[in-house]
Amino acid sequence: MSPDALNSFLELCIGFALAGAIASAYQAFAKRPPSFSLLQQGPSPEAFAAVPLLVFTAPFIIMRNTLRNGAPEEHRIQFVMIATVLAGVWSLMSGTFIVMTLKALGVLA
């Protein structure tokens, strides 16, 4: 495995782990799971504050909604595959952002 592939895999894992951790912390604090419906409150301070939360928890929300909606035989394989790829790419980008931020702060070499 090349170093770039390993780096991308670790960033993907960091993105998924961060999404799950933030979603769990939000659920413990707010007593409800995060969802994209937080943006449907209209232009309010709560909706603007929800944007960073949803940016980092989106992979978790996408996969949770994909797996929660009905029995597995009701899902079309194309829908599940598209949702998984979307969550994976989103997780890779948020993991890359976190790693780049930590490198800029001097935490990582």
Side-chain angles (χ1 to χ4, degrees):
M1 182 179 256
S2 72
D4 288 336
L6 182 61
N7 190 28
S8 294
F9 178 71
L10 291 176
E11 289 171 355
L12 175 81
C13 293
I14 289 170
F16 270 125
L18 183 70
I22 293 173
S24 296
Y26 176 82
Q27 187 168 353
F29 178 72
K31 305 290 190 250
R32 64 173 193 244
S35 69
F36 292 118
S37 65
L38 292 171
L39 295 176
Q40 296 177 349
Q41 300 172 357
S44 65
E46 292 84 14
F48 287 114
V51 171
L53 171 83
L54 292 175
V55 164
F56 286 105
T57 60
F60 177 82
I61 295 170
I62 291 168
M63 292 309 298
R64 182 195 64 203
N65 290 345
T66 301
L67 297 174
R68 185 183 285 178
N69 291 336
E73 54 271 355
E74 293 177 9
H75 292 302
R76 295 187 57 187
I77 189 68
Q78 296 90 350
F79 173 72
V80 174
M81 186 174 64
I82 289 171
T84 302
V85 169
L86 178 65
V89 170
W90 201 319
S91 177
L92 178 64
M93 293 301 111
S94 62
T96 302
F97 175 78
I98 294 300
V99 169
M100 289 175 63
T101 302
L102 291 175
K103 283 182 181 179
L105 294 173
V107 177
L108 293 177

